[in-house]
Amino acid sequence: MSLPEMERIEALLPQWVEESRQQCSYGKVASYIPELSKSPIGALGIHLINSKGYSVSAGDTKLSFTMQSISKVFTLILALMDNGEEAVFDKVGMEPTGDNFNSMLKLELVQPGIPFNPLINAGAIAISSLIAGKDPKEKSGRVLEFMRLLSNNQALDYDLDVYRSESATANLNRSMAYFLKDNGVLQGEVEDVLDVYFRHCSIRITCAELAQMALVLAHNGINPLTGEELIPRRYVQIAKTFMTTCGMYNASGEFAIQVGLPAKSGVSGGILTLVPGRYGIGLIGPSLNRKGNSIAGVALLETLSQEFDWSLF
Ligand code: DON
């Protein structure tokens, strides 16, 4: 009789991590945020947690890293909880772009000039301006508290070196934000909105914490370990749909074909993904492919998904 899946994962994962790790030498760590260029290029780690709280991990899972674009999934959810669907989709669209994550190409091409979706940089900056709070400090504080709640770690915090490094060099995001302000997409001061955005991108996390957050999404907003509803089901559905169509940027189509799971990557090399109703998964692999996704991380997820037939499609 074949072993239960979790036991097979446990037995095979260390070997698959080492095989996928070979890919690291074909990629590069992000350097446009200077602080990220210090990331260990050869690292790869993964953590899976199931509905009963049983977890398996392999590789460099002690490494912590900044959430970067992974945080956009949760600021979207918080903005939906704060404002409702109608107000959010008045300011951002629902369509993939096929362009790079930091592209502003389409902002001028279509009317109204709102970002195509909430997971590209322009869209996530628009979402930052929709987070409720009387000032940027309160808005950022609410985002951090939300991440702490979902990751079940009250100690989660910003990496201020990465935050400052991004804020000091973000000419492209800054120009995009001013453009959005002119288009009437952003509320409040542009620099205040950007501050909320840079802060949530700089939240430092581990694979285990990402996996815990993913587990809540895998259970439609309920933490299966406590039974508590943390996010309304409809907003999880919206977030998972964006993860599927736009979560891996302009490699989302390829990822849907090769892996077939909702996922979100960040330029630090993190990926959050999930198997609906079953697993939350967090991984780190700072060496990135040309589209900005973890090169070894994507390879590892391809192996796992194909081996266990996890694709939703
Ligand atoms: O705004 C930026 O460029 C970064 N803080 C986040 C970008 C990112 O993670 C894109 N991911 N693939």
Side-chain angles (χ1 to χ4, degrees), residues 32-33 68-69 72 101 121 166 173 197 201 249 265-267 292:
Y32 75 100
I33 298 173
Q68 298 302 333
S69 287
K72 296 170 179 175
F101 63 86
N121 285 5
E166 176 162 22
N173 279 337
Y197 174 78
C201 287
Y249 296 104
S265 64
V267 285

Side-chain angles (χ1 to χ4, degrees), residues 68-228:
Q68 298 302 333
S69 287
I70 299 170
S71 60
K72 296 170 179 175
V73 172
F74 302 99
T75 52
L76 166 66
I77 291 171
L78 190 58
L80 285 164
M81 289 165 75
D82 285 348
N83 303 273
E85 277 178 59
E86 206 179 319
V88 168
F89 294 116
D90 195 39
K91 301 292 184 196
V92 290
M94 300 182 184
E95 306 302 336
T97 63
D99 302 326
N100 289 342
F101 63 86
N102 55 5
S103 174
M104 48 194 300
L105 186 68
K106 295 224 165 63
L107 282 180
E108 220 183 346
L109 286 182
V110 286
Q111 287 302 326
I114 63 171
F116 262 48
N117 69 67
L119 299 185
I120 52 172
N121 285 5
I125 292 167
I127 291 292
S128 296
S129 98
L130 290 168
I131 302 294
K134 65 177 184 311
D135 53 26
K137 193 161 180 250
E138 188 176 308
K139 288 172 196 252
S140 290
R142 291 189 62 246
V143 173
L144 185 59
E145 280 309 317
F146 191 50
M147 305 290 193
R148 286 175 173 168
L149 174 74
L150 296 173
S151 66
N152 196 26
N153 179 6
Q154 283 304 308
L156 221 63
D157 216 337
Y158 310 113
D159 180 325
L160 291 175
D161 292 331
V162 173
Y163 158 74
R164 288 191 202 104
S165 180
E166 176 162 22
S167 181
T169 54
N171 298 316
L172 192 53
N173 279 337
R174 217 167 239 114
S175 58
M176 233 179 292
Y178 279 95
F179 191 89
L180 291 173
K181 177 73 183 176
D182 206 63
N183 279 6
V185 176
L186 299 189
Q187 345 237 294
E189 295 293 324
V190 174
E191 290 300 328
D192 288 351
V193 174
L194 283 168
D195 195 69
V196 174
Y197 174 78
F198 298 142
R199 279 186 188 275
H200 70 67
C201 287
S202 79
I203 294 172
R204 190 164 267 281
I205 199 151
T206 62
C207 292
E209 289 152 3
L210 278 189
Q212 178 61 44
M213 296 175 94
L215 189 68
V216 175
L217 301 184
H219 290 83
N220 294 320
I222 294 172
N223 178 351
L225 310 179
T226 61
E228 193 185 353

Side-chain angles (χ1 to χ4, degrees), residues 17 21 24 29 35-47 57-67 70 153 156 159 162 203-211 266-271 282-288 294 296-297:
V17 166
R21 198 194 290 277
C24 293
V29 298
E35 197 63 23
L36 291 185
S37 63
K38 299 177 183 165
S39 311
I41 187 165
L44 181 64
I46 184 166
H47 187 106
S57 59
D60 304 300
T61 44
K62 289 210 165 56
L63 200 65
S64 65
F65 48 93
T66 53
M67 291 183 83
I70 299 170
N153 179 6
L156 221 63
D159 180 325
V162 173
I203 294 172
R204 190 164 267 281
I205 199 151
T206 62
C207 292
E209 289 152 3
L210 278 189
V267 285
S268 54
I271 301 179
L283 75 77
I284 179 65
S287 182
L288 306 180
S294 171

